[in-house]
Amino acid sequence: MKLTIIGCTGSFPGPGSPASCYLVTAFDGERDWKILLDLGSGALGVLQRYADIKDLDGIFISHLHPDHCMDLCGMHVAIRWDPNGWGRERMLVHGPAATADRMATAYGLPLEEGMHPDYDFQHWKSRQPVKIGPFSITPYPVLHPIEESYALRVEATEPVADGSLRTSVLTYSGDTDSCPELIEAAAGADMFLCEAAFEEGRDDAITGVHLTGKRAGQAATEAGVERLLLTHIPVWTDINTVVNEAKEVYSGGIAVAVSGVTYGVFSGSQLGTPKSLPTAPVSIVRSAPNREWPGTKAKSPRR
């Protein structure tokens, strides 16, 4: 299983990264399967450096704050208005029960139809795994100020060189403060992708929202994870501070998520290098049939 950091800046996009989005890839013996954990603000653009969106097998949303889900609106446009057509089944989206209505409201669509023609919306059920290709994704309810927020335990079973099967485990905290369910989700994980938005001594009066580096480290130690990858660090939180906090209470490998970096989940090794931005805007001119944009008389969509 491979993890590519698409976006990792906390709460809103930063100058070096979009908000939360993680591309996870695993091989089932025949092909690579690709899923996203969250699709937050600004992530859709960077995602296209690493994957064709038509190759995605599903999107798994931890909770419905915009920095974790709002680029579902952009994806809706990409699916609905591709001049060459989408050419495949609806995109699978697993998320909280309100996901479909939230996205329709954000885009100003009627709730009854909303984005259902483009997305196959499915609802999380606590601790009930969802199986897709080589993946098993299990949601655990965690502590964050929204109706539903989940940590996601992603297990991938893949063939290895000697012909045997190996299961690797990635746990993604989503957004959460310390809670028993986070430890349950992360137990024994090969890689713990854990938020650390807060700092000790600065944010102590705020409870039930985010982890500090120290709290993330404590969770990693209690869960017995192999390595800790800190993420969701806002622009006003110092990276060195949260890393040093985590090191005080966790003795395993620690790194900070960086947009564009790919990791082997089982090995922890960095794979490849981040892809740079194009040097100039890219425009692809293709003929397409005239169509009306919803709510207008225009004959072609405005993007």
Side-chain angles (χ1 to χ4, degrees), residues 256-270:
V256 174
V258 175
S259 179
V261 175
T262 298
Y263 297 89
V265 169
F266 185 80
S267 66
S269 300
Q270 290 192 24

Side-chain angles (χ1 to χ4, degrees), residues 170-223:
L170 166 69
T171 294
Y172 169 45
S173 68
D175 281 5
T176 182
D177 201 348
S178 300
C179 61
E181 293 81 1
L182 180 62
I183 309 305
E184 186 180 354
D190 298 299
M191 182 172 286
F192 185 22
L193 179 62
C194 187
E195 70 117 291
F198 281 175
E199 292 182 15
E200 293 289 319
R202 186 191 68 183
D203 306 306
D204 294 359
I206 307 171
T207 58
V209 181
H210 289 300
L211 298 165
T212 62
K214 182 177 181 179
R215 290 180 221 163
Q218 288 170 333
T221 295
E222 190 171 345

Side-chain angles (χ1 to χ4, degrees), residues 124-130 137-139:
W124 292 124
K125 296 180 180 178
S126 176
R127 295 179 175 80
Q128 293 191 19
V130 172
I137 304 102
T138 306

Side-chain angles (χ1 to χ4, degrees), residues 10-303:
S11 302
F12 56 91
S17 172
S20 296
C21 181
Y22 308 93
L23 173 65
V24 185
T25 305
F27 183 63
D28 69 349
E30 297 183 1
R31 71 170 178 94
D32 284 328
W33 289 69
K34 298 177 181 180
I35 63 172
L36 294 182
L37 308 180
D38 285 342
L39 186 58
S41 315
L44 183 58
V46 174
L47 171 64
Q48 292 170 80
R49 299 184 211 168
Y50 298 92
D52 185 328
I53 61 175
K54 291 185 179 182
D55 291 338
L56 295 173
D57 293 292
I59 303 171
F60 298 84
I61 301 297
S62 66
H63 67 290
L64 294 179
H65 282 151
D67 59 316
H68 292 259
C69 69
M70 195 48 64
D71 269 21
L72 284 171
C73 289
M75 182 77 80
H76 151 76
V77 175
I79 294 171
R80 178 69 63 90
W81 294 103
D82 185 333
N84 293 319
W86 180 237
R88 52 160 287 183
E89 70 279 0
R90 292 182 298 161
M91 180 68 74
L92 174 66
V93 175
H94 268 269
T99 303
D101 286 355
R102 183 70 56 85
M103 292 301 104
T105 300
Y107 208 82
L109 298 173
L111 295 183
E112 183 175 349
E113 178 173 325
M115 297 181 185
H116 289 284
D118 310 306
Y119 291 129
D120 176 13
F121 289 106
Q122 300 293 325
H123 303 161
W124 292 124
K125 296 180 180 178
S126 176
R127 295 179 175 80
Q128 293 191 19
V130 172
K131 297 185 183 299
I132 177 171
F135 293 110
S136 177
I137 304 102
T138 306
Y140 292 81
V142 289
L143 184 59
H144 194 57
I146 193 169
E147 186 174 355
E148 291 183 68
S149 189
Y150 297 96
L152 303 179
R153 183 181 178 90
V154 182
E155 301 176 62
T157 301
E158 303 169 276
V160 293
D162 64 3
S164 64
L165 296 177
R166 181 176 68 197
T167 298
S168 51
V169 180
L170 166 69
T171 294
Y172 169 45
S173 68
D175 281 5
T176 182
D177 201 348
S178 300
C179 61
E181 293 81 1
L182 180 62
I183 309 305
E184 186 180 354
D190 298 299
M191 182 172 286
F192 185 22
L193 179 62
C194 187
E195 70 117 291
F198 281 175
E199 292 182 15
E200 293 289 319
R202 186 191 68 183
D203 306 306
D204 294 359
I206 307 171
T207 58
V209 181
H210 289 300
L211 298 165
T212 62
K214 182 177 181 179
R215 290 180 221 163
Q218 288 170 333
T221 295
E222 190 171 345
V225 305
E226 289 294 324
R227 56 192 63 84
L228 173 62
L229 186 59
L230 298 174
T231 192
H232 198 274
I233 301 173
V235 296
W236 51 64
T237 294
D238 181 71
I239 290 172
N240 292 321
T241 297
V242 295
V243 168
N244 288 334
E245 289 177 3
K247 285 181 177 178
E248 293 177 3
V249 291
Y250 176 67
S251 59
I254 299 176
V256 174
V258 175
S259 179
V261 175
T262 298
Y263 297 89
V265 169
F266 185 80
S267 66
S269 300
Q270 290 192 24
L271 309 173
T273 57
K275 294 179 172 63
S276 60
L277 284 167
T279 56
V282 176
S283 177
I284 300 175
V285 179
R286 297 177 291 190
S287 61
N290 291 333
R291 291 169 294 169
E292 289 189 4
W293 194 245
T296 75
K297 297 296 185 181
K299 291 186 177 181
S300 60
R302 184 188 299 270
R303 295 182 180 82

